[in-house]
Amino acid sequence: MKKINKLIAAAVLCTGLFVQAQDANNPWSVSVGANAVNTKVSSAKGFSHRMGGYFNTSDYNILPSVSYLNVARYLGDGFSLGITGSVNKIDRFIAPESQGYTRYNPGDLSYYGIDGEIKYSFKEILNSKVVDPFLLVGGGYTFMGKASGGTVNGGLGFNFWFSKTVAFTLQSTYKHSFDQSRLPDVGVASHMQHFAGLRFQFGAKDRDGDGVLDKYDECPDEFGLASLNGCPDRDGDGVPDYLDQCPDEFGLASLNGCPDRDGDGIPDYLDECPDLPGLAQFNGCPDTDGDGIPDNLDECPEVAGPASNNGCPWPDTDGDGVPDHLDECPEVAGPASNNGCPEIQEEHVKQLNEYGKTILFNTGKYSFQNSSYAILDNIVKIMQEYPTSKFHIAGYTDSTGTDRINIPLSDNRANAVKVYLIDKGIDASRLTSKGYGSADPIASNKTVTGRELNRRVEIQLIN
């Protein structure tokens, strides 16, 4: 008996070690404790009489040691399959007499039982975390002294759970024997067997030891937090590392665990201006002047300007609304239709022609008379006011003489005006000249006055 007790104790110890490394759902359980055998039921003639001594512990046969071991496997839906081994010693045998019952010692019969059982637990139905009633059916084989035989079993019990894996268990099983003799050492009497002990439920795996079972652990090989389904969170921002794009920096869940120092909704690792609130289209940089160029690239961040000038407004020296880089007359105001240059007035064109008619040349020559220089200087002043206007200088003569003489003479006179204007600062690209001889007279060549009018220079506006 002592050897059996030692074996059971060793099994319990091994179970305690084994509890730490089993399956994912705690499907296994081991129960150990003491058992009591009551043979009164084999002598009673009715069910009520058989149950009459249920709580009469004076009829119990009990060993003062660990005397049973049960191993069970959960099958699902409240059902489990188990096997129980038990030992006892029968020194209180109840036998019937004509006037009642007699209790005697049949010679300290040894008792060994091996029983299989199917249990059904009501714990899930009751939704209870502590009280766990159950029913069982099964069968087994019992050795009682020199006799042995099979039994059909049925019973009920309760588990009282201290924790998710440890419970105090109570169970009563009726073992019905079909042996007719039911005499000590001759047959196995039907009997009640009661069990009281501790039940250890185990089998769940927790490879990383973080207290979250592998079945529910989204990171079963990394020590993690129960609140994050067993996954680690190195920076403590509440976003598990496997979802955290910045696992070593405290960040925001809305930004996949990455920080946003300036609070503009763009994570710092994507933000080109992480300390200044900005816009997503500018990679987190601000655009103070709203010109579409972020401040970090804008050379004039406080004043709106085009990208072609690095965010700065183009200068407009003459204030005519045409920027200098497009203004052909950046220092003189003019309309955009004339590229920023002033448009020559009709009265000034008329004035140029009036001046042209009063330019006097020495007779038969293309040199100017002294009185013409003041006129030429007035022409220069008008042309300077319109620096982009172009002019054609046409030279004419009267009808005196032939074209062979008049055309070269008129051409030289027109060119003389052109050269003078160029010498006074008028751009040569703005001037053309040509002589037309006596063509296109504006007065009669039959009079002295008419011929004087026809000897003229006309200044024509090209554009």
Side-chain angles (χ1 to χ4, degrees):
M1 184 66 71
K2 291 182 179 180
K3 291 182 178 179
I4 293 175
N5 287 343
K6 290 180 179 179
L7 288 173
I8 293 175
V12 173
L13 178 60
C14 290
T15 300
L17 297 173
F18 192 57
V19 165
Q20 302 302 318
Q22 286 299 314
D23 201 272
N25 287 322
N26 286 317
W28 290 98
S29 69
V30 170
S31 300
V32 292
N35 78 92
V37 176
N38 183 358
T39 62
K40 184 176 181 180
V41 293
S42 64
S43 302
K45 295 181 179 179
F47 182 78
S48 62
H49 292 95
R50 292 182 180 183
M51 295 297 104
Y54 186 87
F55 295 106
N56 187 358
T57 58
S58 63
D59 294 335
Y60 287 5
N61 295 278
I62 303 175
L63 281 179
S65 63
V66 174
S67 58
Y68 88 90
L69 172 66
N70 171 271
V71 178
R73 177 70 162 81
Y74 184 71
L75 302 178
D77 296 327
F79 289 95
S80 61
L81 177 66
I83 186 169
T84 302
S86 59
V87 297
N88 212 315
K89 183 175 67 173
I90 306 301
D91 56 9
R92 300 176 184 182
F93 195 86
I94 308 299
E97 291 184 344
S98 59
Q99 300 298 321
Y101 303 93
T102 180
R103 180 190 301 117
Y104 69 96
N105 187 337
D108 293 344
L109 296 178
S110 61
Y111 178 97
Y112 300 96
I114 182 74
D115 300 282
E117 61 191 21
I118 294 178
K119 289 182 179 179
Y120 179 75
S121 169
F122 292 90
K123 183 179 180 182
E124 293 183 6
I125 294 178
L126 297 175
N127 194 26
S128 172
K129 295 182 179 180
V130 178
V131 180
D132 175 14
F134 60 84
L135 295 176
L136 66 93
V137 294
Y141 203 81
T142 301
F143 299 85
M144 192 178 292
K146 296 178 181 180
S148 63
T151 62
V152 175
N153 307 336
L156 57 84
F158 291 88
N159 293 314
F160 300 94
W161 292 97
F162 302 133
S163 68
K164 290 182 179 180
T165 56
V166 181
F168 176 68
T169 183
L170 292 174
Q171 176 182 320
S172 291
T173 303
Y174 170 64
K175 295 184 174 183
H176 180 76
S177 173
F178 296 96
D179 196 325
Q180 296 298 319
S181 62
R182 299 187 181 181
L183 297 174
D185 286 325
V186 176
V188 174
S190 296
H191 57 280
M192 292 290 295
Q193 189 172 18
H194 310 292
F195 302 88
L198 293 177
R199 179 180 177 183
F200 301 93
Q201 188 165 288
F202 61 93
K205 288 184 179 180
D206 180 15
R207 293 199 299 271
D208 54 19
D210 58 6
V212 181
L213 302 183
D214 289 353
K215 180 179 180 180
Y216 308 106
D217 197 330
E218 294 182 8
C219 304
D221 295 306
E222 297 179 88
F223 189 93
L225 304 174
S227 59
L228 297 178
N229 298 322
C231 289
D233 177 18
R234 293 199 298 271
D235 54 19
D237 57 7
V239 181
D241 290 348
Y242 77 98
L243 294 177
D244 197 329
Q245 292 185 2
C246 305
D248 295 305
E249 297 179 89
F250 188 94
L252 304 173
S254 59
L255 296 178
N256 299 320
C258 289
D260 177 19
R261 294 199 300 271
D262 54 19
D264 58 5
I266 302 167
D268 291 348
Y269 77 98
L270 294 176
D271 198 329
E272 294 183 7
C273 304
D275 295 304
L276 296 172
L279 304 173
Q281 64 263 39
F282 300 133
N283 299 322
C285 290
D287 177 17
T288 303
D289 54 21
D291 59 4
I293 303 169
D295 290 356
N296 61 319
L297 299 177
D298 197 330
E299 293 184 3
C300 302
E302 305 289 337
V303 183
S308 56
N309 198 38
N310 300 320
C312 293
W314 290 107
D316 181 14
T317 303
D318 54 18
D320 59 4
V322 181
D324 289 355
H325 72 292
L326 298 176
D327 197 331
E328 294 183 7
C329 304
E331 297 181 357
V332 181
S337 59
N338 198 39
N339 300 318
C341 290
E343 293 181 332
I344 189 168
Q345 302 296 317
E346 184 178 349
E347 60 188 59
H348 287 164
V349 174
K350 185 182 293 186
Q351 182 69 52
L352 287 174
N353 281 309
E354 291 298 324
Y355 283 143
K357 293 176 183 178
T358 58
I359 297 174
L360 299 178
F361 293 93
N362 292 313
T363 303
K365 298 180 180 180
Y366 50 87
S367 59
F368 302 112
Q369 294 184 15
N370 290 333
S371 61
S372 297
Y373 289 107
I375 298 171
L376 288 168
D377 289 339
N378 287 331
I379 293 174
V380 170
K381 289 180 182 179
I382 294 175
M383 288 186 175
Q384 285 177 338
E385 291 183 28
Y386 306 99
T388 60
S389 295
K390 294 182 180 181
F391 302 93
H392 178 65
I393 302 170
Y396 295 93
T397 65
D398 58 27
S399 60
T400 304
T402 65
D403 286 342
R404 185 175 63 83
I405 296 173
N406 290 336
I407 289 178
L409 178 61
S410 63
D411 192 57
N412 287 332
R413 287 178 174 176
N415 186 63
V417 174
K418 174 183 173 182
V419 170
Y420 185 88
L421 297 177
I422 292 172
D423 288 343
K424 291 296 183 176
I426 305 302
D427 194 324
S429 64
R430 298 173 56 198
L431 302 174
T432 59
S433 64
K434 185 176 180 180
Y436 298 94
S438 61
D440 299 323
I442 59 174
S444 175
N445 283 305
K446 294 180 179 181
T447 64
V448 173
T449 302
R451 288 193 293 273
E452 287 180 355
L453 292 175
N454 288 333
R455 294 193 296 271
R456 70 194 187 278
V457 172
E458 291 186 2
I459 300 178
Q460 303 165 355
L461 177 67
I462 297 176
N463 70 334

